[in-house]
Structures are given as C-alpha cells and as structure tokens.
Amino acid sequence: MGFTSTDSRMIVVNVIEYPNISIDSFDFPTKAVINEWKPFRIKAKVTKAGAGNIALGITNAAGSPSSIIIKYGGKEHTLRPNENFLAKNGGADYTGKTYEISGSVKFTKGGNYTIVIFTGYTL
C-alpha cells in the first residue's frame, strides 16, 4: 500500500512561557493539508500558585496567510490572523498542578502559518 502526497503545508510553532505557569509538553501539527483536521495537545504545569486563573491558549499570529479553525469542547472557533483562543481558564490550585487541553485544528488556506501556544494568568 503506497502513499502519494498531493499537497501539504508546513507551519512554524512559537512557544511562549509566562512566569507562573509553563508549557510542560505539546503536540501540534507541523504539516497539514488544507481543510483536514489534525489533533493537538498542550500540557502545562503551575510553577508558582498565585492570584488569578490559569490561561492556556493558541494564537494564529499576524502574518499567517489565513484563518485556522480550532475544535475544542465540541465547538469550532475560527481564528483570523492575530487572534487568540483561550481554551482553559481555571484557578491555580497549587504549585506543581498540571493542566491539559486537547482538540483539533484545521488550516483554511495554503502557506506557512505561525502559531503561538501560550500560558499565563487572567485576573
């Protein structure tokens, strides 16, 4: 059984860490086919508990060729370039606690996308 590729695109993933929660691990597609769902997973760990709520999310950075669609929690969220998706927003119970989100992403146009995975706090 062979495979012949007819189209694929590579993306660049830029990971940002904020002081009170850090990205522990992630799986995010680095190649994708237009309009094909690809799974993603982001795991973060609280490095210092404090006031505010945990924030985990994804940004389709400015300069990306088109929108991406995030499927999370049974809903679809369209992110135009320079838009954020906040997937997790919960309290930081204690230092060392881990949070994980997973879903699917779909790219709507060919080209090189810059995707930012972020963590932090909301007040």
Side-chain angles (χ1 to χ4, degrees):
M1 182 175 199
F3 171 76
T4 301
S5 176
T6 58
D7 190 14
S8 67
R9 305 295 175 194
M10 184 173 14
I11 61 169
V12 176
V13 177
N14 179 17
V15 179
I16 297 174
E17 293 184 341
Y18 290 100
N20 293 318
I21 182 169
S22 63
I23 295 169
D24 197 36
S25 63
F26 68 93
D27 294 307
F28 203 91
T30 56
K31 292 183 180 179
V33 175
I34 296 170
N35 292 321
E36 181 181 292
W37 290 107
K38 296 294 234 175
F40 72 84
R41 182 190 61 79
I42 304 166
K43 184 177 178 183
K45 184 183 287 187
V46 176
T47 56
K48 180 181 177 189
N53 293 315
I54 297 297
L56 274 83
I58 298 168
T59 300
N60 183 15
S64 289
S66 187
S67 297
I68 64 171
I69 302 171
I70 300 291
K71 189 186 294 183
Y72 176 76
K75 296 180 183 177
E76 293 183 11
H77 309 272
T78 300
L79 300 181
R80 293 185 296 272
N82 207 33
E83 286 188 341
N84 301 314
F85 169 68
L86 184 61
K88 179 69 177 173
N89 190 1
D93 296 330
Y94 56 88
T95 299
K97 182 170 182 167
T98 59
Y99 291 88
E100 187 170 329
I101 62 170
S102 60
S104 299
V105 59
K106 179 166 60 172
F107 299 86
T108 60
K109 184 178 178 183
N112 292 321
Y113 291 74
T114 300
I115 306 299
V116 179
I117 298 168
F118 65 87
T119 62
Y121 279 91
T122 61
L123 299 176

